[in-house]
Amino acid sequence: MLARMAEIVYPPACPACARALAEPLGLCAACWRELTFLERPWCARLGIPFPVEMGEGVLSAEAIANPPPYDRARAAVAYEGAARVLVHKLKYGDRMDLAAVLARMMLRAGREILADADLLVPVPLHRGRLWRRRFNQAAALSAALSRASGVPADPLLLRRVKPTRTQVGLTRPQRASNLSGSLLVPKPLRPRVAGRRVVLVDDVLTTGATADACARALRRAGAARIDVLAFARVVPEA
């Protein structure tokens, strides 16, 4: 009854452009067409799409030149157009309801890595930034993914123990330097990670510096496998 009353007062609308919708938790046709879903063929390690079929298990030049400290990364869509708007509204617009919308797309993209995963771990925020933003978008996504997949989420396992500059506008080396020593799994919590297959959850993959730093912290804590699942990723130009 309460849900129905809410729909009358606040009719369903596209979260990206605010056009009216017949059903909640969806996108309008125009915004849906703006999404570039990332599909095979792709780099087996980074999930970056290839323009043509390259064969099973082929790695991209980036994965060969700079092997990441995690096993696989997957993202649902390219970080552009409506996807960028959705991420911005979730992250800065207090639209926590969008987590369920984005998680549905992530579930499809991450099917293979979620199939035998033991644990979902969101990329953490430092407590100062969390206080200012009021919630962690990666934790909201991991909670929604947990409900949809049945894989448990642990939002307090990985900690950001020192504040860092925003990563926006930094080069890859600058991002890595900015994050150095900022992430860890506290010693008392390491048994929760040891020998487990962990999926690191975030909203966007850009240079991969944050995912790299988180993966190294999880590896030091004894994780057996580390995969990364994001809603969107920056796709290098061909």
Side-chain angles (χ1 to χ4, degrees):
M1 174 65 79
L2 290 176
R4 182 59 183 156
M5 289 176 63
E7 286 183 17
I8 294 171
V9 177
Y10 303 105
C14 174
C17 70
R19 289 189 182 94
L21 295 176
E23 299 290 337
L25 296 180
L27 297 178
C28 71
C31 289
W32 187 264
R33 286 193 296 269
E34 280 190 27
L35 296 177
T36 301
F37 287 91
L38 303 182
E39 308 276 359
R40 285 184 172 87
W42 55 31
C43 168
R45 196 81 180 269
L46 300 178
I48 296 171
F50 291 134
V52 296
E53 181 61 59
M54 304 284 285
E56 190 68 26
V58 173
L59 300 182
S60 62
E62 172 66 16
I64 295 169
N66 298 291
Y70 51 79
D71 295 276
R72 295 169 295 181
R74 299 289 182 264
V77 298
Y79 187 50
E80 60 189 18
R84 189 184 294 267
V85 173
L86 289 169
V87 168
H88 194 272
K89 288 191 174 184
L90 171 65
K91 201 168 187 172
Y92 304 113
D94 290 339
R95 290 292 306 275
M96 289 188 67
D97 56 305
L98 288 180
V101 178
L102 275 54
R104 286 209 308 262
M105 292 182 247
M106 294 169 68
L107 187 66
R108 177 177 175 272
R111 189 177 295 115
E112 63 180 330
I113 64 176
L114 291 169
D116 61 352
D118 297 315
L119 193 62
L120 303 177
V121 175
V123 170
L125 291 177
H126 185 264
R127 61 181 179 274
R129 188 165 295 169
L130 181 61
W131 184 83
R132 291 192 297 274
R133 198 178 289 172
R134 295 189 295 278
F135 77 100
N136 177 0
Q137 73 280 356
L141 289 171
S142 69
L145 270 173
S146 180
R147 290 191 293 270
S149 68
V151 180
D154 193 333
L156 301 177
L157 189 62
L158 185 61
R159 307 285 176 87
R160 197 179 290 249
V161 293
K162 72 174 188 179
T164 55
R165 296 168 55 196
T166 177
Q167 298 279 75
V168 176
L170 299 183
T171 64
R172 183 169 188 153
Q174 287 171 335
R175 285 174 180 241
S177 176
N178 186 42
L179 291 164
S180 179
S182 66
L183 292 145
L184 60 78
V185 176
K187 285 185 179 180
L189 303 184
R190 290 183 181 182
R192 297 188 198 175
V193 180
R196 311 292 294 282
R197 294 163 294 194
V198 178
V199 177
L200 182 70
V201 177
D202 205 1
D203 54 347
V204 182
L205 278 171
T206 50
T207 64
T210 300
D212 288 358
C214 289
R216 290 190 183 98
L218 290 167
R219 194 73 76 186
R220 287 193 297 269
R225 189 185 75 202
I226 303 164
D227 295 316
V228 180
L229 181 57
F231 167 64
R233 75 163 302 137
V234 173
V235 178
E237 294 183 8

